[in-house]
Amino acid sequence: MATELEELVEFLSSPSPTVTKAAVDIVRGLTGSEDGLQSLANYAKILLPSLARLLAGKKEVSEPAAEALVNLSQNSGLAAKMVEMGMINAAMDILYKPDSSIGRLLAMLLVNLTQLDVGVASLLQTGEEKMQGLYVMKLVRSFCRSSDEAREDPFEHVGSVLVNISKQEAGRKLLLDPRRGLLKQIVRQFDSSSPLRRKGVSGTIRNCCFEAESQLQNLLLISEFLWPALLLPVAGNKIYSEQDRCKMPLELGSALSIEREPVDDPEIRVQALEAIYLISLQEAGLRAFWSVNGPRIIQVGYEDEEDPKVMGAYEQLGSMLINSSGTEEPTTETSN
């Protein structure tokens, strides 16, 4: 005899729109609690395909179905089953339908699914020679084109997806491929008004810098955008002297000649400092860092820093700069 939950899951495939709507609303509610998630997990074989089918329906059923899948995908076991059944392909297909109204939820679903290695491989389309990287290219284009000034920013969670894929070597190589120019597009979002976007950008840059030994040239190809993205968050709040600014690229010097909003998120500051450290471990990277008067910026930024973890990242970088052979310590001039 079928249990109440079994019947509920079966109602998701009811020919009656009213019954389906009621069932998916109840399922969404159950996924909001740990007990509900555990209970529904027992019926994943039927539940997940049923919810996936509803994603292509009208908003009244697609939205609660998407919310339920986002909640369910927090369970790594269920997330793995979703990837196995092709959920990433389905999400990408629906995400780019003209009449899609659940883009934000689908992006959140992709964040959870790419926490898994198999999810990253699926999104990268690993093994599909002609299609490999197409999904990521579409997501980057949408991430960079959508306005974070809009009332709802459906693609801001893509920043977190990019962080996830850049944790893997294959993802980093794709983003750093100069022919695709993906990282260059991403970096230019560093000054977004969306904290979620900024964190996604900083995390992605930092992860890509783990390839600095073999990909330094590709990183430095975008130095016009890369150095401001890395240095402005850790430059402190002071207005820099003309003597300091004249040794910097115009975009960086101009930004440091005026009062600035501080970067409140310490994680972004740590990620920026770690990225600079990884670049500066390479001789050419260190020269590039000195060429933009980077050590001076680090010195001034450290003076304003109060967060212990961020101070530790400054100190790690400062120690490396001091110990690097053939380099000089930053001067001790004060900024105006």
Side-chain angles (χ1 to χ4, degrees):
M1 186 173 179
T3 65
E4 288 184 3
L5 268 182
E6 281 179 304
E7 290 180 345
L8 175 63
V9 171
E10 288 171 2
F11 283 145
L12 292 172
S13 302
S14 170
S16 167
T18 305
V19 172
T20 302
K21 168 78 167 98
V24 74
D25 283 341
I26 295 171
V27 168
R28 172 177 57 181
L30 288 171
T31 62
S33 70
E34 188 61 35
D35 289 344
L37 278 173
Q38 292 301 324
S39 299
L40 288 168
N42 297 322
Y43 304 96
K45 189 174 181 180
I46 302 171
L47 174 67
L48 298 180
S50 297
L51 290 172
R53 283 193 296 271
L54 293 178
L55 292 177
K58 294 180 179 179
K59 185 178 181 180
E60 62 184 19
V61 293
S62 65
E63 189 171 277
E67 289 180 8
L69 286 167
V70 169
N71 291 338
L72 289 163
S73 62
Q74 294 176 68
N75 178 301
S76 59
L78 293 177
K81 289 178 180 177
M82 291 185 199
V83 174
E84 185 180 353
M85 61 178 276
M87 188 69 78
I88 284 180
N89 293 341
M92 288 297 298
D93 181 51
I94 296 166
L95 182 59
Y96 286 96
K97 288 189 182 300
D99 57 347
S100 176
S101 60
I102 54 171
R104 184 178 180 83
L105 290 166
L106 292 175
M108 293 170 69
L109 178 60
L110 291 174
V111 173
N112 289 347
L113 297 182
T114 53
Q115 301 270 1
L116 305 176
D117 290 351
V118 289
V120 172
S122 179
L123 189 64
L124 293 176
Q125 298 164 286
T126 303
E128 301 178 44
E129 188 174 341
K130 293 183 178 179
M131 303 293 286
Q132 191 166 343
L134 181 61
Y135 283 165
V136 175
M137 290 174 67
K138 291 175 75 170
L139 287 172
V140 169
R141 185 169 65 243
S142 299
F143 180 65
C144 296
R145 284 183 178 176
S146 61
S147 171
D148 58 1
E149 303 297 332
R151 184 171 56 184
E152 180 175 306
D153 181 3
F155 289 101
E156 69 173 350
H157 286 279
V158 169
S160 302
V161 176
L162 297 173
V163 171
N164 289 344
I165 67 170
S166 62
K167 289 176 182 176
Q168 293 197 16
E169 183 181 4
R172 295 193 293 271
K173 287 187 174 180
L174 174 67
L175 295 176
L176 283 162
D177 185 344
R179 295 169 300 175
R180 299 180 189 264
L182 298 179
L183 188 61
K184 181 178 179 179
Q185 297 176 57
I186 295 164
V187 168
R188 296 171 78 171
Q189 290 286 309
F190 85 93
D191 58 353
S192 167
S193 62
S194 163
L196 190 57
R197 280 174 172 267
R198 292 197 301 271
K199 183 172 283 191
V201 171
S202 67
T204 301
I205 295 172
R206 178 254 192 191
N207 289 346
C208 285
C209 286
F210 277 100
E211 297 295 319
E213 185 175 0
S214 60
Q215 297 264 6
L216 182 64
Q217 184 177 359
N218 291 335
L219 283 165
L220 295 182
L221 278 173
I222 61 168
S223 58
E224 176 186 356
F225 308 103
L226 184 64
W227 289 125
L230 295 179
L231 287 167
L232 290 178
V234 297
N237 302 325
K238 294 184 176 73
I239 295 176
Y240 282 61
S241 69
E242 186 174 351
Q243 184 176 359
D244 286 338
R245 299 197 310 269
C246 72
K247 301 172 186 175
M248 302 174 188
L250 180 61
E251 184 175 349
L252 193 54
S254 296
L256 295 176
S257 68
I258 57 175
E259 291 187 6
R260 303 172 301 284
E261 287 290 325
V263 175
D264 294 329
D265 190 336
E267 186 177 349
I268 289 178
R269 302 199 298 278
V270 168
Q271 289 171 338
L273 290 163
E274 288 177 346
I276 296 167
Y277 178 82
L278 291 166
I279 291 172
S280 299
L281 285 174
Q282 310 305 315
E283 185 178 347
L286 184 60
R287 286 198 304 269
F289 182 54
W290 276 95
S291 74
V292 297
N293 208 11
R296 176 60 178 154
I297 294 173
I298 296 306
Q299 182 186 44
V300 175
Y302 180 72
E303 292 170 359
D304 288 338
E305 187 56 61
E306 297 179 354
D307 185 283
K309 187 174 180 181
V310 184
M311 291 177 72
Y314 274 108
E315 289 160 7
Q316 179 190 41
L317 176 57
S319 177
M320 187 270 290
L321 292 172
I322 291 170
N323 294 327
S324 295
S325 59
T327 64
E328 304 172 2
E329 293 186 40
T331 62
T332 56
E333 299 163 4
T334 56
S335 291
N336 293 337

